[in-house]
Amino acid sequence: MIRIMEPGPLQLGVLASGRGSNFDAICDAIDKGQLQAEIKILISDKNGAPVLQKAANRGIKTLFVNPQDFTGREDYERLLVEKLHEARVNIIALAGYMRLVGPIFLQAYANRILNIHPALLPSFTGLHAQRQAVEYGVKFSGCTVHIVDQGMDSGPIVMQAVVPVYDDDDEESLSERILEQEHNIYWRALQLFAQGRVYLSQRRVIIKQIATETITKSSVV
Ligand code: GAR
């Protein structure tokens, strides 16, 4: 069993492609003192993505990197890793980053890249997870925070939240219900890393309890 991180405030890098509501929820948790972290940089692969403006408004360093400017994924990721190292990032949160992560990235931040996916993995991987859930007819879906590995949405699971699927749901209404829970669990999962409580045993994530005497008001979530 390996401990992924020692306790301490996270030096977070966030990668996002779009709207940025998960990014906002993480920022809010930091501002409220619920998550011990500092966002060192927000990187987007989409020019003009709303998340870039959201980060800039909060005074967070932003960077747009166009993958099409590179001959291949490896060169693109090398540049990303360079920028993340420069910003002294020690853990990465993918927050609506619609791109598969390759070996360069995975080696540089082994077990320290997290993703949030809008389904109860291992069900409904990939795009349009909420639509897949509605069309399949499951009665419950939800969201998953997981450690990123070489597969698609296949890495070790850190935290999940369950939401009901109603008969009259469509992709939009289910997405909304799931998103609320995404905002609720992503920062909580990150805080477990800040507390040094996350261990990996094969592909199982084990969350250690905090010893009673070390529990302080600010460490209780
Ligand atoms: C979220 O629902 C997130 O789970 C999903 O994209 C949305 C981003 O929203 N991610 C994936 O589907 C990754 N496979 P946001 O930009 O408002 O955080």
Side-chain angles (χ1 to χ4, degrees), residues 64-78:
F64 159 59
V65 185
N66 187 354
Q68 286 164 0
D69 290 345
F70 299 83
T71 46
R73 183 168 72 179
E74 296 208 339
D75 285 345
Y76 164 69
E77 290 197 343
R78 250 188 274 280

Side-chain angles (χ1 to χ4, degrees), residues 1 30 58 60 125 168:
M1 188 148 74
I30 294 172
R58 288 179 181 267
I60 291 168
T125 58
D168 59 355

